[in-house]
Amino acid sequence: MVHKAVIPAAGFGTRFLPATKSQPKEMLPVLDTPVIQYVVEEAVASGITDIIMVIGRGKRAIEEHFDRSFELEMELEAKGKRRELERIRHISNLANIHFIWQRQMLGLGDAIRCARHHVGDEPFAVLLGDTIVSGKVPATRQLLNVFAHCNTSVLALEEVSTERVSHYGIVKAEPLKDNVVRVLDLVEKPTPEQAPSNLAVASRYVLTPDIFDLIDQVHPGKHGEIQITDALRLQTRDKPIHGCRIDARRMDIGNTLGFLKANILLGLEHPGLRHDLAVFLQSQGKSIHQAASEQ
């Protein structure tokens, strides 16, 4: 049974400057909740009990968010704000969360490697800290269900348009059954002509512990970064790995447009906001139509 997860959250968030000059991008609020809390809640809902969060310089706010704030709790209790008090206490009781440092920004593969001592010889999940994935069954749980049958690394996959393949790691895959494929190869950010498919790796993984030795074998690429895609390619040469087309909606908060979309989509699902938000959007129909028609 997989009960550990690694959440890399060490990047600078340069696409959100100047907002991320003094706060982590993972702490940007979608509605009234930081992005990173959605990610942790997905892990917990999937059965994860221990979370290793990989952070870097300027990320102390993430530690503070998941720690208890006794002064705030006392203030809320004194004012009789029970609902707010329960929400605050819920955050610090979500899971056993450990923080480790990635001292240099050397890529996702290196960030995962930072968790090696804490993970040990167990399979583990990886959830990227700047991406919200929502579905009736949590995306990580869907991967763990596949892992329970195949006992190999499992990658979350989603179909993307041909024009978008250059933004993702793309897999060469052999269909198996239902939403499961065998991954034969991976290509990091290929051109449309180079892409072996339109199945993109979608920010969630379940990895077997031998991945750490394979990360050690990867040569640094652009900007000296160690890519997890390269380690997974090495893994496909020795053993099968699988992919799962997740039945979920992925919202990439790593860019401004994705951040805006997430707020609108989740706002339209929020019981206390959806009506007023829908009315507002309808009232902006003319402006929205005009903006959509502009080049």
Side-chain angles (χ1 to χ4, degrees):
M1 182 177 177
V2 178
H3 61 90
K4 292 183 179 179
V6 176
I7 301 180
F12 287 118
T14 53
R15 287 181 289 179
F16 264 108
L17 288 170
T20 50
K21 180 176 182 291
S22 60
Q23 69 171 330
K25 66 177 177 179
E26 295 85 2
M27 286 299 295
L28 293 172
V30 174
L31 303 186
D32 57 358
T33 301
V35 173
I36 193 72
Q37 186 175 326
Y38 287 99
V39 179
V40 170
E41 288 175 344
E42 178 196 329
V44 172
S46 300
I48 298 297
T49 57
D50 290 274
I51 293 173
I52 301 99
M53 204 169 291
V54 183
I55 60 174
R57 182 178 175 83
K59 304 282 185 167
R60 288 288 188 188
I62 298 177
E63 289 188 80
E64 293 177 3
H65 180 71
F66 290 102
D67 196 5
R68 290 192 67 179
S69 174
F70 292 101
E71 296 85 356
L72 177 57
E73 289 180 21
M74 291 174 61
E75 180 76 8
L76 293 173
E77 191 162 19
K79 292 182 176 180
K81 295 186 175 182
R82 300 300 306 177
R83 178 175 177 273
E84 290 84 354
L85 179 60
E86 288 172 5
R87 294 187 70 191
I88 291 299
R89 286 178 172 168
H90 166 74
I91 295 170
S92 56
N93 292 326
L94 279 168
N96 298 316
I97 302 179
H98 317 272
F99 294 90
I100 58 177
W101 288 79
Q102 184 184 25
R103 302 193 181 280
Q104 289 182 279
M105 302 300 105
L106 296 178
L108 178 57
D110 181 69
I112 293 171
R113 179 167 56 186
C114 289
R116 184 175 196 163
H117 174 72
H118 293 266
V119 169
D121 294 326
E122 301 178 38
F124 62 102
V126 175
L127 300 85
L128 300 195
D130 61 358
T131 305
I132 298 172
V133 184
S134 65
K136 290 184 179 180
V137 177
T140 301
R141 181 71 259 167
Q142 294 178 46
L143 301 188
L144 292 173
N145 290 342
V146 175
F147 176 82
H149 290 285
C150 65
N151 204 36
T152 70
S153 292
V154 185
L155 317 180
L157 302 175
E158 69 169 346
E159 293 185 9
V160 298
S161 66
T162 302
E163 302 78 41
R164 298 283 298 168
V165 294
S166 60
H167 296 270
Y168 302 97
I170 303 294
V171 302
K172 179 180 180 181
E174 173 189 338
L176 296 178
K177 62 177 182 177
D178 300 327
N179 58 343
V180 179
V181 301
R182 176 170 177 176
V183 176
L184 304 176
D185 200 0
L186 301 94
V187 183
E188 181 69 21
K189 298 181 179 179
T191 65
E193 295 74 25
Q194 295 171 327
S197 73
N198 68 335
L199 288 176
V201 181
S203 307
R204 301 291 188 263
Y205 311 74
V206 172
L207 302 176
T208 51
D210 58 308
I211 196 68
F212 293 116
D213 289 335
L214 297 170
I215 292 172
D216 288 341
Q217 297 176 35
V218 170
H219 296 291
K222 189 176 181 181
H223 306 304
E225 294 186 345
I226 304 293
Q227 297 297 343
I228 191 62
T229 300
D230 294 330
L232 289 167
R233 289 192 74 189
L234 293 175
Q235 195 172 53
T236 62
R237 297 172 187 174
D238 295 328
K239 59 182 359 178
I241 67 175
H242 293 83
C244 172
R245 289 188 182 90
I246 54 172
D247 182 12
R249 180 176 61 201
R250 184 180 63 85
M251 291 168 276
D252 183 359
I253 318 299
N255 62 81
T256 306
L257 180 58
F259 176 75
L260 291 171
K261 286 180 178 179
N263 275 278
I264 293 171
L265 289 170
L266 293 180
L268 289 171
E269 295 175 357
H270 190 287
L273 298 174
R274 59 188 177 196
H275 174 74
D276 290 344
L277 179 58
V279 170
F280 170 74
L281 292 173
Q282 286 179 331
S283 73
Q284 300 300 306
K286 184 176 180 180
S287 297
I288 292 172
H289 178 77
Q290 181 178 349
S293 63
E294 292 176 355
Q295 297 295 323

